[in-house]
């Protein structure tokens, strides 16, 4: 891979996640304060991520893999996305906002796979070359959060500008995509079944009892994850944290650092301990949020944010590696698609609907909520999932000690979304 291609791929990754981080982190605050949305409506808005994740395999499998070059599809999707984000910034109420953001996420989620595909096709040794390029995506998410905090958009009630900023970045990436290396379709002329597109041919992995436990735990842990995505930014703003979006970018810094350390932890601890630590971090994070404040317990808020690296990397990245090790060569891609469909599709769908109802149930006034209960509920859910996992999961050491694929990356958080 030449230096020019490396630079182009790095810019692509930076813009890809800058766009997402520019509006996704503060979406809940924007909907509640600017559009007077309910908690259920906020959950419904975040549900668009799950819809996009479910639809993405069809766009990639039916179009990108068979008919058109990946870089051209990436360009078209981001140009269309720029128009939709611009429309979302002008929406006067939730009813007119939702169709734009739903359509946008259906178009955006497939681009996460496209940027990876474009990158991998240019690499001779992805295991060594991918991580330095993928890390620019995390940096893009961080820069987006710092920009929002620096411009003080949360305190000024100007969060509609986040959609404008994302629209401009999306237009830039859309045009830039046509300059990326040619990535022609790899399955032109081939046919696929519905099961192939959704990764369902990997369903036989569930015959492995331990993997079945992991699979169910992955779905269940995405329920408390939804609380974090949807309501952390409104919570931090309500309790008085300044430049909350910028401070939240510490979670992506943590994610980056722990991601680099995953191979070491994986070889020392094994699958079960890694997954358990990840789930335990969810419990601890929400307890910190429940009892933290902007005064004496401010450190709890910061600790809860910084725990993002442990929460995400130790569970989801470890889960990707565990899945890859068990799948075998024939089902590697299908298995990753299957677990993504289960987590970001089914798990997040349940979680976003539940979190919105919990938020509404503990609203004390238009400007105040019983945040302690709002956070203790997902802490309890994560605790139950952790307990059942520890009791039922049995680790097979040969799977745990296989050489992990360090090229496996993660999307920010959600966040990352971010």
């Amino acid at each position: 891979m030449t230096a020019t291609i490396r630079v182009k791929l790095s810019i692509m990754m930076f813009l890809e996640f800058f766009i997402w981080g520019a509006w996704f982190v503060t979406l809940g605050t924007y909907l509640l304060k600017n559009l007077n949305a309910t908690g259920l409506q906020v959950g419904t808005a975040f549900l668009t991520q799950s819809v996009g994740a479910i639809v993405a395999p069809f766009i990639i499998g039916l179009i990108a893999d068979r008919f058109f070059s990946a870089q051209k599809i990436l360009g078209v999707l981001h140009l269309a996305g720029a128009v939709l984000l611009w429309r979302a910034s002008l929406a006067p109420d939730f009813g007119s906002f939702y169709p734009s953001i739903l359509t946008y996420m259906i178009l955006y989620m497939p681009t996460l796979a496209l940027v990876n595909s474009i990158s991998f096709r240019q690499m001779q040794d992805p295991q060594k070359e991918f991580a330095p390029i993928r890390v620019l995506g995390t940096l893009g998410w961080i820069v987006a959060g710092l920009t929002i905090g620096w411009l003080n958009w949360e305190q000024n009630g100007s969060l509609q500008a986040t959609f404008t900023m994302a629209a401009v970045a999306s237009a830039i990436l859309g045009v830039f995509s046509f300059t990326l290396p040619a990535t022609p379709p790899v399955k032109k002329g081939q046919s696929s079944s519905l099961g192939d597109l959704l990764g369902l041919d990997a369903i036989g992995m569930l015959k492995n009892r331990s993997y079945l436990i992991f699979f169910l735990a992955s779905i269940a842990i995405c329920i408390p994850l939804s609380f974090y995505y949807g309501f952390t930014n409104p919570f931090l703003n309500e309790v008085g944290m300044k430049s909350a979006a910028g401070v939240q970018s510490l979670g992506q810094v943590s994610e980056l650092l722990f991601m680099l350390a995953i191979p070491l932890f994986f070889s020392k601890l094994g699958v079960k301990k890694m997954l358990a630590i990840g789930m335990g971090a969810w419990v601890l994070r929400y307890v910190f949020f429940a009892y933290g404040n902007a005064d004496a317990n401010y450190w709890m808020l910061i600790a809860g944010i910084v725990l993002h690296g442990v929460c995400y990397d130790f569970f989801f990245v470890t889960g990707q590696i565990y899945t890859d090790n068990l799948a075998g060569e024939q089902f590697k891609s299908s298995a990753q698609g299957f677990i993504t469909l289960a987590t970001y599709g089914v798990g997040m769908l349940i979680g976003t609907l539940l979190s919105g109802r919990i938020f509404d149930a503990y609203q004390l006034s238009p400007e105040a909520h019983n945040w302690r209960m709002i956070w203790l509920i997902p802490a309890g859910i994560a605790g139950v999932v952790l307990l059942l996992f520890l009791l039922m999961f049995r680790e097979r050491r040969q799977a745990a000690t296989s050489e992990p694929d360090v090229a496996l990356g993660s999307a920010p958080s959600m966040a990352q979304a971010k």
Side-chain angles (χ1 to χ4, degrees):
M1 183 168 56
T2 66
T4 299
I5 291 177
R6 185 179 293 107
V7 170
K8 285 186 175 182
L9 295 179
S10 297
I11 293 172
M12 174 191 71
M13 282 293 183
F14 180 91
L15 290 173
E16 174 75 14
F17 289 96
F18 177 90
I19 293 165
W20 196 4
W23 64 272
F24 193 74
V25 173
T26 55
L27 175 61
T29 300
Y30 173 74
L31 293 175
L32 292 168
K33 291 188 175 181
N34 293 58
L35 301 187
N36 298 315
T38 65
L40 183 58
Q41 287 175 326
V42 172
T44 303
F46 278 96
L47 186 62
T48 59
Q49 177 182 242
S50 298
V51 175
I54 293 171
V55 173
F58 294 94
I59 295 180
I60 300 301
L62 292 177
I63 301 176
D65 284 350
R66 285 166 177 76
F67 298 108
F68 302 103
S69 295
Q71 82 279 3
K72 294 179 180 179
I73 299 176
L74 183 70
V76 170
L77 291 179
H78 275 297
L79 289 174
V83 175
L84 291 165
L85 286 169
W86 189 275
R87 286 185 58 188
S89 72
L90 302 176
D93 52 46
F94 183 81
S96 54
F97 171 86
Y98 184 73
S100 294
I101 210 64
L102 173 61
T103 308
Y104 174 77
M105 287 304 280
I106 291 173
L107 298 183
Y108 177 82
M109 292 303 286
T111 68
L112 296 173
L114 286 173
V115 295
N116 286 343
S117 177
I118 293 169
S119 298
F120 285 130
R121 293 278 294 278
Q122 309 307 316
M123 297 175 182
Q124 285 74 46
D125 189 356
Q127 191 161 334
K128 293 181 179 179
E129 295 175 288
F130 182 70
I133 290 173
R134 172 59 183 82
V135 77
L136 266 293
T138 301
L139 181 61
W141 187 287
I142 292 170
V143 170
L146 293 175
T147 301
I148 295 169
W150 177 59
L151 295 173
N152 211 31
W153 283 342
E154 291 161 287
Q155 283 68 41
N156 294 338
S158 303
L159 285 176
Q160 74 277 0
T162 61
F163 294 95
T164 305
M165 178 172 69
V168 172
S170 186
I172 293 172
L173 180 52
V175 174
F176 180 74
S177 294
F178 291 96
T179 73
L180 293 171
T183 312
V186 294
K187 297 181 180 178
K188 194 170 184 178
Q190 298 182 24
S191 60
S192 288
S193 66
L194 176 63
D196 293 334
L197 296 176
L198 296 178
L200 297 183
D201 51 355
I203 199 169
M205 293 175 64
L206 298 183
K207 294 178 182 178
N208 180 318
R209 181 178 179 276
S210 289
Y211 190 78
L212 174 61
I213 299 302
F214 160 73
F215 180 82
L216 295 175
S218 297
I219 295 175
I221 206 67
C222 280
I223 297 174
L225 171 62
S226 302
F227 284 76
Y228 181 78
Y229 280 168
F231 296 103
T232 298
N233 190 256
F235 161 66
L236 296 176
N237 277 285
E238 190 171 303
V239 299
M241 177 179 283
K242 295 181 179 179
S243 302
V247 177
Q248 280 184 260
S249 66
L250 291 173
Q252 275 61 53
V253 175
S254 169
E255 177 188 337
L256 173 60
L257 295 175
F258 278 103
M259 191 185 303
L260 295 175
I262 281 291
L264 175 62
F265 283 115
F266 197 95
S267 62
K268 297 291 185 181
L269 299 176
V271 170
K272 184 171 184 177
K273 290 180 181 177
M274 290 281 287
L275 296 173
I277 290 172
M279 287 185 279
W282 284 110
V283 179
L284 186 59
R285 155 184 269 177
Y286 290 134
V287 170
F288 279 154
F289 280 177
Y291 292 95
N293 55 52
D295 298 316
N297 289 336
Y298 186 78
W299 68 271
M300 289 187 174
L301 302 182
I302 299 299
I305 293 170
V306 171
L307 275 171
H308 176 74
V310 183
C311 293
Y312 192 92
D313 291 341
F314 274 62
F315 190 86
F316 288 99
V317 177
T318 298
Q320 290 171 352
I321 296 171
Y322 176 53
T323 297
D324 187 74
N325 286 342
L326 289 181
E329 291 299 325
Q330 184 178 0
F331 299 116
K332 283 185 182 291
S333 296
S334 296
Q336 295 295 339
F338 186 45
I339 195 66
T340 299
L341 178 68
T343 52
Y344 284 95
V346 178
M348 290 292 289
L349 185 151
I350 298 170
T352 49
L353 294 177
L354 177 63
S355 62
R357 294 182 183 277
I358 296 298
F359 178 84
D360 286 339
Y362 288 98
Q363 181 174 1
L364 304 177
S365 71
E367 300 297 328
H369 299 82
N370 183 349
W371 286 108
R372 180 164 296 178
M373 285 303 302
I374 291 173
W375 292 125
L376 286 178
I377 289 172
I381 295 172
V384 171
V385 176
L386 171 59
L387 179 61
L388 292 175
F389 175 81
L390 290 173
L391 292 174
M392 302 177 71
F393 184 87
R394 296 291 182 270
E395 180 174 356
R396 291 185 178 181
R397 293 305 302 174
Q398 62 268 30
T401 57
S402 299
E403 184 67 25
D405 182 359
V406 296
L408 285 169
S410 63
S413 15
M414 315 44 93
Q416 11 163 236
K418 291 161 180 275

